[in-house]
């Protein structure tokens, strides 16, 4: 079932890969300012908003940095969701974000992928990791952790144990990164067949941190494209923070955001 944009929607924003975490103030501040000021009719968060998510049950504990941080993020999303519809799709870091959190914040969770009907076109929205077929180890891991069985087992563990497992997974991925291992990009043929399967012209995704507009097939009408969202890193130089904005009729632009 495609998500049908109401005709009064003229401007849609897409962001992903902010990797928000406690103690990284610059990303949070830029995101908070953006959320308070976007003029879009609707906002789509396409995954990895959070660096890690181990369950919706992080209860506010005075003085606990993680629960304070989650509460602040919740407040930002909640406030934005009173102004405009906010949609959230899971990334590979925050796939355990659940209905409880969504309900508290007043946002809607989207399956990956989702077809969006907007401006007389069909857009295919995804986090993007499912299409990085070159990384076979990751695809096997993904299959495992996205199963209901793994997830209910994991969520049944005490919070501290879940946090420890998440730390270990993160350390492993960090050491892989620093060993210089190259990351698999989205597989072009798979992206094209996804687009054809869903009758969509443009795939919008994040995950790869390689923001770019790719023309995949110009021989068909409309042409097949892949628009890749930027990650956010306000501590990098130059700083990165960007929203992709679709504007009816027929255009899109990348909005650079400031701290
Ligand atoms: Mn990702």
């Amino acid at each position: 079932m495609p998500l049908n944009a109401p005709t009064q929607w003229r401007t849609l924003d897409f962001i992903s890969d902010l990797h928000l975490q406690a103690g990284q103030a610059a990303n949070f501040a830029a995101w908070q300012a953006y959320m308070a000021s976007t003029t879009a009719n609707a906002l789509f968060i396409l995954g990895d908003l959070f660096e890690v998510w181990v369950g919706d049950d992080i209860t506010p504990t005075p003085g606990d940095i993680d629960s304070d941080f989650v509460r602040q993020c919740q407040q930002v999303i909640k406030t934005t969701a009173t102004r405009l519809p906010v949609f959230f799709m899971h990334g590979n870091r925050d796939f355990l974000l659940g209905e409880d959190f969504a309900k508290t914040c007043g946002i809607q969770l989207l399956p990956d992928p989702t077809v969006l009907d907007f401006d007389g076109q069909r857009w295919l929205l995804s986090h993007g990791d499912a299409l990085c077929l070159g990384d076979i180890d990751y695809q096997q891991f993904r299959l495992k952790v996205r199963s209901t069985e793994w997830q209910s087992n994991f969520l049944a563990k005490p919070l501290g144990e879940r946090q420890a497992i998440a730390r270990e997974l993160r350390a492993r991925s960090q050491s892989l990164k620093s060993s210089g291992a190259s990351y698999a990009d989205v597989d072009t043929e798979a992206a094209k067949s996804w687009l054809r399967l869903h009758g969509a012209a443009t795939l919008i995704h994040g995950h790869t941190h390689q923001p770019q507009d790719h023309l995949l097939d110009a021989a068909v009408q409309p042409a097949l494209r892949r628009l890749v969202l930027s990650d956010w890193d306000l501590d990098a130089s130059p700083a990165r923070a960007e929203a992709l904005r679709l504007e009816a009729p027929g255009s899109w632009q990348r909005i650079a955001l400031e701290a």
Side-chain angles (χ1 to χ4, degrees), residues 177-203:
K177 204 190 282 177
S178 56
S179 76
S182 65
Y183 278 86
D185 197 358
V186 159
D187 185 276
T188 302
E189 286 314 309
K192 287 201 269 192
S193 57
W194 260 30
L195 285 168
R196 291 188 193 112
L197 180 70
H198 294 283
T202 307
L203 170 66

